[in-house]
Amino acid sequence: MSPEINLTCDPAHLRHGSNIGQPLTRRDGILKVKGEARYAADNHPPGMLYAVIAVSTIARGRVTFLDVAAAKRHPGVVEVMTPSHKPPLAEDPDGKPNPFAFKMELLQNDEVRYANQAIAVVVAETLEAATEGAALLSPQYHVEPARVGLDDAKSYLPPVVGIGNPAEVRHGDVDAALAGASNRIEAMYETSAQYHNAMEPHAIVASWDGDKLSIDTPSQGMAIAQMRLAGLFGIPPGNIHIRSPFLGGGFGSKGLVSGPQVLGIMAAKLVGRPVKLVLRRDQMYGPVGHRPPTRQTLRIGTDGEGRLTAIDHHAKVTTSTFDDFYEPAADASHTLYASPAIKTSHEAVRVDTGTPLFMRAPGEATGSIALESAIDEIALACGMDPLDFRLKNYAEVEPISGKPFSSKALRQCYAKGAERFGWAGRPLTPRQMRDDAGFLVGWGMGTATFPALMFQAQARAVIRSDGSGVMESGAHDMGQGAWTVLAQIAADGLGLGIDQVEFRSGTSDLPDAGIAGGSAHTATAGAAIHNAGAAVIAKLADLATNDERSPLFGAGNAGVIAREGRLFRRDDEARGESYTDILKRAGLAEIEASGGGAADPAAQSNYAMHAHGAVFAEVKVDPELGQIRVTRLVGAFAAGRIINPRLVQSQLFGGMIWGASFALHEEAVMDHRSGRILNANLAEYHIPVNADVPSLDVLTVDEHDPHVNVLGIKGVGEIGVTGSAGAVANAVWHATGVRARRFPIRIDDLLMRLD
Amino acid sequence: MMNFDYVRPATVAEAVAAASEKGATYLAAGTNLLDLMKGGVCHPSRLVDVTRLPGLDGVEYLADGGVRIGALVRNADLAHDAEFVRAFPSVAEALLSGASAQLRNAATVGGNVLQRTRCAYFYDAPSACNKRWPGAGCDARHGENRLHAVLGWSEACIATHPSDFCVPLVALDTVVEIEGRSGRREVALEALHRLPGDTPQRETLLERGDLIVALRLPAEARGFAAHARYIKVRERTSYAFAVVSAAASLRIEQGTIREARLALGGVAAKPWRARAAEQVLAGVAPDAAGLREAARIALADAKPSGDNAFKIELAQRILVRALTLAAAGTPERIPALPGSPFSSVSGVHHVA
Amino acid sequence: MNFSISLTVNGVRREIELDDPRVTLLDLLRERLDLTGTKKGCDRGQCGACTVLVNGRRINSCLALAVSQDGADILTIEGVSRGDQLHPMQAAFIAHDGFQCGFCTPGQVMSAIGLITEGQAGDDPERVREGMSGNLCRCGAYAGITEAVLEAQNTLTNSDQRRSA
């Protein structure tokens, strides 16, 4: 285990038996509660300097002057990096070497394409000097008018949305079905720009040694970052060592290395000393991605019995003027409800903001709140309870593709969630419920769904002659619990107790564990770890079964199983021997093998693979003042195999809070003249505080999915956001009778309509 | 932040002298000042650290029944001072509804009174702001202004004063004691903050070198202890500035309001005392129609400064709510969610 | 201009020469005293990640000038446990999974210790939630945080009673 990631064995570590399925506490828990978990900005190599970026205050135009002399005069300032004074790059930052490479602002020219874009970097002996040096640059600009809103530019059909999805998908004839529908609704919903705002600002500590680069930086994808940096700096990927043992949250914003992180590396190169660069909170509103605003129109029709006949979901989204990321909001309507005719479509406008990016449930979150609100509206139009309506339109096969689901326990989620919440008896019409204090009470629900994805990962397993094991996979723990759950999988894969396995992770010199995104990290890296374990056990079994001196000799076709550091004959568990005995007799200090994890193409083409859930929300609304509080959230989720119920509950709680936040709190407010975000902080960009979340309840429904991946894991990182946002919005309607169609719901949206 | 001189005077007189130089400003806890300096909103060349000045950190109960609060008393200490809570419950509730426990532990009462607006254009250094740069214009006036002023604003400035604490204080006729170059003087808190007019950069009556040394609540303010509330509408349950807030204090005898004290927060460049509404409440029973009428009168002169007409309606409703809750009686203990509409503890009466 | 200040940090008195009055207590701890457990999330008093105890009270160290803290007694997350013996609050955070990414955790733990010292919340979950609302957690670990604080409150109250009995 590398010294900086010393996971102590945990005195408070609850170990109820072993490994997969057990609610172990976090293996990195002690480090985290003692402040000893070392995040990127906690590093301080000898001779380190501080870099602070200067950012543009205009959204579009050119920088015409920087007072470099004034900055350099400030005591402690060592260097000022500008477009005319910077180390050379081997690759154009505006190039697109691969579809996952987004354009960056690396001082390649004097152009400004969004507010908060880096326009210079000041390096100094102290943070204070670098900060003031950056302020002293007092830039002057040639300003062009900013285009920032959904209506500020001509829209177009994006080439693709999300990761290579078609922008328009048709199944059946939506227009004909709507024309013949007995009940119809058409509604427009608007969602706001949101920023990831991980608690840890993007940070990097970079050191060069010749053409070798060593960096501490939070990354959800070290291998991809390594490739990107190798291209930019013209060095082999193997020359780049990334340490990312802990991320202070990512939520997508640390999936790809960002411009400011690269600027830290450039600054270190320029000054020939280690450099630390940490974004200020306000500087995170621009260069590190965001969830774009959307305007979505839903048209839904049913027959006379409340059976869906058509869903038409159209989304207008923004992207930047210089790059392409299209929030696939309308795709949320592909999988949930059994409509014979479905159309989804997108249009986009280019605005003077940073490029939007994956943000926890990208597309699913924005699309879900609109779809779940619209389903609530059509259920009402049919005079049906929202849960009955969803059950009546339950999709037995994936509606858009006709494929069977690899597994789908959504019906059980509806039932268990509704029972726990106490949904039965909910009045159909709004404004029927009050609490003792006179607050309006409303109940709403939403269906949660998220695709079960797989990327690609590798792992290396070792069994040592002392009976211990090592598992290596360069995974990323951004709070989801990779240090713990992957170690649980590793221990089971190696047939060892978790405390006998050294799990190495979090650095780029280990086998690539794939990106921690798409809720697929546990499934992907877990599969690689499982397979590496199986491979090393197979090698060990070969040794034993081919050795006459082993009690396992000749087990051959019957096979062996591994458990608690021993191999046993599958057909006779009385016959077995320890890993130690096998290796010692073979004269081996250790034995190793590798394994990979990836999607199974056959299963992918045969099955639709999704996690599902049902979220029920209770809100209270002040009948005169319009202030809203979410008083209860109950979520029931079916997400395949659960590796660690304790950590899964935390992930789902977090997602549900994000859902409530989407519905009620989060919104970047932009000045439409300047293009600057006016609440680029944590005081007025509201995310929920502790008092906003009085009661959360999560249930999980068992699912055994033999198709999705070798471990049957579907992932839980993002699904909690979906369903929850709509459930809260629908509960606000049920409490007040006011249908909000702009999110977050503001007091002003309710106030005048409450009486 | 820009570099500055740091001085730590030993006496009030030294402090006043040190702060009388151009560019100098007082530093107490710094919870607002450092925020402003980091944001490039203000650039003092000298900080005069008053945190060690003797005699400014006590709460003194005066023989006449009033209370004198040293300017360096921490917000949390005042809010948790048992005698203070009993005598001035709405002030304690307002204090506890503001900011976070950490900020209340650090921030001083003098600093709270002098905190600057949260207008985003004031904080956004490149925006035009007449407070920061007199004559530059006001980008808020035609910008994102749904949370801006509806009372007392001018074309030059539509910012609001963000303090919760000041709202009940102004309702209760608090007096500010000031030490300055020409000695000590007193002003009513209500007069301390100015409306913007053509000079929004002049936010208070304070002159260069002036140091707030104490706040004084008069004995009469105790008369409202049994019927006093502070209610604050926020965009999340805690740790947020008020959209609108109201302090209501009533003296009720035999079911009739003898005297009412009302003030609004988040509606103007100063904590807004609603005197006309107070007058119509005197001598009436606290019934719904009467309270609504008082609220209507309190907002009679209000007009939107932008996309914020809803605040006029909200301010009236929150006044009615604060009055209703005050009439019902001060709760025995400050509610779990101070100032929140969701704090309602109905029917429990305060033991004054 | 240099400033000599004296601080007691985690029980150790330290004489510190500050060459810059702009240094905040947070940056002093993190960048000059190698106490990086205290985190910088916003640097503007809006998130609580930098919470430390100064003279026994929780404050945001990002909004405190170091030079103005002369003579103060500072407790940071590094000073909370006794060797391998976790503070009951730290143990409760682990047991109740009161964190995910862990970045806000030192601030949460310090704030929770401060909350219990203040004695205003007791065993009322709503008062605990309100009292902990100055510490943002973007991962959304609030339920575990509240449970952890309530459990630690209980543990600490019981051990106080045992001591006084």
Side-chain angles (χ1 to χ4, degrees):
Chain A
M1 188 165 293
S2 49
E4 71 264 47
I5 315 164
N6 186 17
L7 294 181
T8 346
C9 192
D10 182 344
H13 187 73
L14 304 177
R15 195 171 152 228
H16 313 287
S18 112
N19 311 326
I20 291 181
Q22 299 305 321
L24 302 196
T25 56
R26 287 172 200 272
R27 294 175 65 248
D28 48 358
I30 289 198
L31 292 181
K32 285 180 173 174
V33 300
K34 292 177 82 175
E36 290 174 0
R38 190 165 277 268
Y39 298 81
D42 300 340
N43 291 285
H44 200 129
M48 189 190 82
L49 297 173
Y50 294 86
V52 168
I53 63 172
V55 296
S56 75
T57 56
I58 65 164
R60 182 181 171 206
R62 284 186 305 110
V63 178
T64 56
F65 175 74
L66 291 168
D67 197 345
V68 173
K72 282 196 160 171
R73 272 198 304 274
H74 190 68
V77 170
V78 172
E79 189 56 280
V80 179
M81 192 165 74
T82 65
S84 58
H85 182 55
K86 65 175 194 301
L89 292 172
E91 197 173 86
D92 179 3
D94 281 331
K96 296 282 277 184
N98 65 66
F100 276 110
F102 283 81
K103 296 178 183 178
M104 304 173 172
E105 297 72 35
L106 302 180
L107 306 176
Q108 59 264 45
N109 52 42
D110 61 7
E111 187 196 351
V112 173
R113 44 201 194 188
Y114 58 89
N116 264 341
Q117 175 194 316
I119 55 173
V121 179
V122 176
V123 186
E125 297 285 350
T126 66
L127 178 58
E128 293 74 24
T131 303
E132 181 58 14
L136 289 167
L137 287 171
S138 310
Q140 293 173 20
Y141 304 95
H142 170 75
V143 189
E144 292 179 57
R147 301 150 298 185
V148 294
L150 280 161
D151 300 311
D152 282 6
K154 191 169 159 12
S155 69
Y156 60 97
L157 179 68
V160 293
V161 296
I163 309 172
N165 302 350
E168 289 191 355
V169 177
R170 285 187 170 83
H171 173 77
D173 187 339
V174 161
D175 290 322
L178 281 168
S182 302
N183 297 293
R184 259 187 306 271
I185 62 115
E186 175 170 350
M188 190 175 81
Y189 305 92
E190 291 186 299
T191 68
S192 301
Q194 301 176 351
Y195 285 75
H196 303 75
N197 272 310
M199 293 311 298
E200 176 200 32
H202 292 63
I204 191 162
V205 177
S207 312
W208 286 93
D209 179 6
D211 67 349
K212 291 197 164 55
L213 172 63
S214 168
I215 54 180
D216 296 283
T217 201
S219 171
Q220 296 175 239
M222 287 181 287
I224 295 174
Q226 221 178 10
M227 290 299 296
R228 179 73 159 138
L229 294 172
L232 285 166
F233 291 100
I235 55 176
N239 280 17
I240 302 170
H241 185 216
I242 306 175
R243 286 173 300 276
S244 183
F246 303 103
L247 289 83
F251 314 113
S253 76
K254 293 166 183 166
L256 302 167
V257 67
S258 67
Q261 287 162 297
V262 181
L263 287 170
I265 300 170
M266 290 167 65
K269 185 141 192 147
L270 184 68
V271 297
R273 286 167 68 177
V275 159
K276 169 151 66 178
L277 188 153
V278 185
L279 285 187
R280 289 198 318 254
R281 178 59 54 181
D282 58 298
Q283 294 175 338
M284 294 170 71
Y285 291 74
V288 296
H290 65 283
R291 199 195 298 281
T294 72
R295 182 182 297 148
Q296 303 176 55
T297 307
L298 275 121
R299 296 191 299 155
I300 300 182
T302 71
D303 67 15
E305 270 84 56
R307 266 186 296 270
L308 286 166
T309 54
I311 298 177
D312 180 7
H313 191 161
H314 177 74
K316 188 176 187 183
V317 301
T318 63
T319 190
S320 69
T321 56
F322 54 92
D323 211 345
D324 298 80
F325 176 86
Y326 302 100
E327 173 94 355
D331 292 2
S333 288
H334 286 172
T335 60
L336 271 184
Y337 300 109
S339 174
I342 296 175
K343 180 184 167 199
T344 62
S345 55
H346 296 82
E347 65 179 309
V349 293
R350 293 198 180 277
V351 295
D352 298 307
T353 65
T355 307
L357 207 60
F358 317 97
M359 178 164 159
R360 201 173 192 178
E364 291 85 5
T366 39
S368 171
I369 194 170
L371 174 63
E372 295 304 315
S373 295
I375 290 292
D376 216 53
E377 298 203 36
I378 187 72
L380 182 75
C382 296
M384 290 175 69
D385 173 82
L387 176 55
D388 293 342
F389 183 86
R390 284 170 171 86
L391 287 168
K392 182 146 206 167
N393 291 286
Y394 193 85
E396 301 292 350
V397 298
E398 186 180 51
I400 200 77
S401 67
K403 289 184 197 176
F405 290 102
S406 60
S407 62
K408 181 179 178 180
L410 175 58
R411 201 171 261 119
Q412 293 93 311
C413 294
Y414 284 138
K416 286 182 79 166
E419 186 189 1
R420 176 69 65 89
F421 184 83
W423 180 262
R426 170 190 175 275
L428 267 190
T429 49
R431 251 190 118 106
Q432 301 299 307
M433 303 196 296
R434 295 225 182 201
D435 73 0
D436 294 346
F439 293 106
L440 300 170
V441 178
W443 291 353
M445 68 167 297
T447 309
T449 187
F450 196 83
L453 304 174
M454 284 288 281
F455 301 120
Q456 290 197 355
Q458 302 295 319
R460 176 176 168 270
V462 177
I463 292 174
R464 296 181 183 130
S465 61
D466 65 359
S468 68
V470 177
M471 185 67 76
E472 295 182 333
S473 191
H476 315 87
D477 197 325
M478 48 191 182
Q480 83 280 34
W483 277 118
T484 307
V485 295
L486 294 180
Q488 288 178 262
I489 295 170
D492 275 11
L494 292 170
L496 291 169
I498 198 164
D499 297 329
Q500 293 156 295
V501 177
E502 187 182 322
F503 177 55
R504 295 178 182 156
S505 189
T507 64
S508 66
D509 52 355
L510 299 170
D512 173 16
I515 193 165
S519 298
H521 201 37
T522 305
T524 310
I529 286 166
H530 174 86
N531 290 334
V536 78
I537 293 294
K539 276 191 173 179
L540 194 65
D542 270 355
L543 280 181
T545 57
N546 292 316
D547 184 342
E548 295 177 356
R549 292 164 297 175
S550 168
L552 296 168
F553 177 67
N557 291 338
V560 298
I561 51 174
R563 199 170 60 231
E564 291 166 7
R566 296 175 68 83
L567 296 184
F568 301 90
R569 271 188 80 114
R570 192 181 298 278
D571 57 356
D572 179 7
E573 293 205 9
R575 293 166 67 186
E577 74 175 327
S578 72
Y579 299 175
T580 300
D581 289 347
I582 297 168
L583 287 171
K584 283 198 171 150
R585 203 170 44 242
L588 293 173
E590 60 179 43
I591 187 169
E592 70 156 276
S594 293
D600 168 4
Q604 299 262 320
S605 76
N606 292 337
Y607 295 99
M609 299 174 177
H610 303 277
H612 291 93
V615 181
F616 298 83
E618 177 184 273
V619 302
K620 294 190 178 177
V621 181
D622 188 295
E624 287 96 30
L625 306 179
Q627 194 170 321
I628 305 166
R629 194 176 190 211
V630 180
T631 46
R632 272 195 308 143
L633 277 178
V634 174
F637 297 92
R641 188 177 199 179
I642 299 301
I643 305 298
N644 184 322
R646 180 190 306 265
L647 273 49
V648 160
Q649 172 178 280
S650 291
Q651 283 270 71
L652 293 169
F653 279 173
M656 288 158 72
I657 291 171
W658 274 56
S661 187
F662 195 122
L664 300 183
H665 301 297
E666 279 185 57
E667 173 178 24
V669 177
M670 189 174 273
D671 183 90
H672 281 248
R673 299 158 299 182
S674 69
R676 283 192 299 279
I677 292 168
L678 295 168
N679 58 345
N681 58 47
L682 287 174
E684 278 104 356
Y685 182 97
H686 290 144
I687 64 170
V689 297
N690 199 316
D692 284 308
V693 192
S695 172
L696 293 169
D697 203 350
V698 155
L699 307 158
T700 51
V701 173
D702 284 341
E703 259 182 355
H704 298 286
D705 191 322
H707 308 295
V708 70
N709 51 54
V710 63
L711 291 166
I713 296 168
K714 287 182 173 175
V716 293
E718 292 162 276
I719 187 172
V721 189
T722 71
S724 304
V728 170
N730 292 335
V732 170
W733 170 80
H734 191 241
T736 63
V738 178
R739 177 65 67 183
R741 294 205 178 90
R742 176 175 74 181
F743 305 106
I745 303 171
R746 296 165 165 175
I747 287 164
D748 8 344
D749 296 330
L750 292 186
L751 194 72
M752 302 306 208
R753 297 155 72 190
L754 274 174
D755 298 317
Chain B
M1 62 184 92
M2 205 174 84
N3 218 333
F4 49 82
D5 282 342
Y6 170 85
V7 296
R8 195 191 293 158
T11 66
V12 169
E14 282 177 38
V16 170
S20 294
E21 287 192 19
K22 188 169 167 53
T25 195
Y26 289 114
L27 169 75
T31 51
N32 189 211
L33 181 62
L34 260 68
D35 183 33
L36 293 162
M37 291 167 68
K38 287 180 180 188
V41 181
C42 66
H43 311 269
S45 54
R46 167 184 280 186
L47 292 191
V48 180
D49 184 344
V50 295
T51 53
R52 307 301 202 286
L53 293 182
L56 302 188
D57 61 352
V59 181
E60 185 187 351
Y61 294 94
L62 306 173
D64 70 357
V67 62
R68 184 171 180 275
I69 307 155
L72 292 177
V73 171
R74 310 286 169 166
N75 285 203
D77 289 340
L78 185 62
H80 293 139
D81 180 303
E83 181 167 354
F84 187 83
V85 177
R86 269 195 305 278
F88 311 102
S90 59
V91 182
E93 184 168 17
L95 276 170
L96 293 173
S97 76
S100 68
Q102 288 94 316
L103 289 165
R104 296 191 295 267
N105 275 340
T108 63
V109 301
N112 189 320
V113 168
L114 291 179
Q115 67 182 293
R116 312 289 296 276
T117 180
R118 287 300 300 185
C119 171
Y121 295 92
F122 171 71
Y123 260 87
D124 181 44
S127 286
C129 173
N130 288 318
K131 275 185 188 294
R132 278 188 283 103
W133 195 279
C138 170
D139 272 347
R141 182 70 178 92
H142 299 287
E144 292 294 322
N145 49 22
R146 58 182 277 273
L147 299 176
H148 282 73
V150 294
L151 283 163
W153 55 272
S154 70
E155 287 300 323
C157 183
I158 61 172
T160 62
H161 193 259
S163 170
D164 295 299
F165 179 48
C166 287
V167 180
L169 284 184
V170 84
L172 295 172
D173 285 338
T174 300
V175 171
V176 184
E177 298 181 13
I178 299 159
E179 192 78 32
R181 283 172 293 175
S182 46
R184 184 164 293 219
R185 69 186 196 281
E186 296 183 357
V187 299
L189 178 61
E190 195 184 352
L192 180 74
H193 298 99
R194 303 172 75 250
L195 288 176
D198 296 330
T199 54
Q201 73 277 16
R202 296 215 52 213
E203 295 174 356
T204 67
L205 294 182
L206 297 181
E207 304 286 338
R208 189 183 294 171
D210 277 353
L211 177 68
I212 293 181
V213 293
L215 306 175
R216 214 173 59 237
L217 275 155
E220 306 83 76
R222 285 179 182 261
F224 301 92
H227 296 280
R229 286 304 299 271
Y230 180 72
I231 300 295
K232 171 182 180 183
V233 165
R234 281 167 275 195
E235 293 183 322
R236 63 183 174 192
T237 305
S238 184
Y239 204 9
F241 291 96
V243 176
V244 179
S245 69
S249 299
L250 301 172
R251 199 154 55 72
I252 299 180
E253 288 168 9
Q254 284 91 44
T256 300
I257 298 172
R258 289 295 157 210
E259 191 178 1
R261 299 290 184 85
L262 291 178
L264 287 160
V267 294
K270 58 187 292 182
W272 191 267
R273 179 86 179 258
R275 287 184 187 278
E278 291 174 4
Q279 278 158 21
V280 303
L281 287 169
V284 307
D287 59 42
L291 302 186
R292 270 203 301 275
E293 174 61 8
R296 191 191 62 75
I297 288 168
L299 275 296
D301 294 334
K303 60 180 194 299
S305 60
D307 189 19
N308 57 0
F310 81 97
K311 287 182 70 169
I312 299 171
E313 176 66 22
L314 180 59
Q316 294 180 61
R317 294 187 189 185
I318 204 166
L319 267 178
V320 171
R321 174 66 57 80
L323 283 164
T324 306
L325 291 173
T330 307
E332 197 165 349
R333 188 179 173 196
I334 296 209
L337 302 175
S340 170
F342 295 102
S343 73
S344 291
V345 188
S346 49
V348 184
H349 284 260
H350 177 69
V351 188
Chain C
M1 191 159 47
N2 279 321
F3 305 88
S4 301
I5 63 168
S6 162
L7 294 178
T8 302
V9 183
N10 299 329
V12 179
R13 192 180 158 94
R14 306 176 75 141
E15 306 301 324
I16 295 159
E17 284 294 311
L18 268 185
D19 56 6
D20 192 328
R22 295 172 295 186
V23 180
T24 61
L25 177 58
L26 173 61
D27 289 331
L28 174 71
L29 293 169
R30 287 185 52 78
E31 307 299 341
R32 296 169 186 241
L33 301 182
D34 195 28
L35 291 167
T36 54
T38 307
K39 299 298 184 235
K40 183 185 283 188
C42 71
D43 208 28
R44 305 289 281 271
Q46 301 167 353
C47 79
C50 68
T51 303
V52 299
L53 302 191
V54 173
N55 300 326
R57 304 153 63 99
R58 50 177 168 158
I59 68 158
N60 298 317
S61 59
C62 70
L63 290 183
L65 274 190
V67 64
S68 184
Q69 307 306 311
D70 191 8
D73 189 337
I74 317 282
L75 183 68
T76 74
I77 191 69
E78 288 90 348
V80 166
S81 57
R82 300 222 170 102
D84 288 342
Q85 185 67 44
L86 294 180
H87 186 283
M89 189 64 74
Q90 293 173 311
F93 265 70
I94 293 175
H96 292 278
D97 212 32
F99 52 91
Q100 294 182 35
C101 82
F103 194 81
C104 73
T105 310
Q108 299 275 3
V109 169
M110 297 313 294
S111 187
I113 292 171
L115 172 76
I116 287 180
T117 309
E118 287 157 17
Q120 299 294 328
D123 57 3
D124 178 349
E126 191 84 317
R127 286 180 194 272
V128 169
R129 284 189 281 264
E130 165 67 22
M132 291 298 293
S133 283
N135 293 82
L136 303 187
C137 170
R138 184 56 152 164
C139 298
Y142 293 130
I145 291 167
T146 303
E147 287 171 12
V149 175
L150 289 167
E151 180 188 294
Q153 159 87 35
N154 195 29
T155 308
L156 291 164
T157 308
N158 289 342
S159 71
D160 280 354
Q161 281 166 354
R162 273 199 303 279
R163 261 200 302 278
S164 58

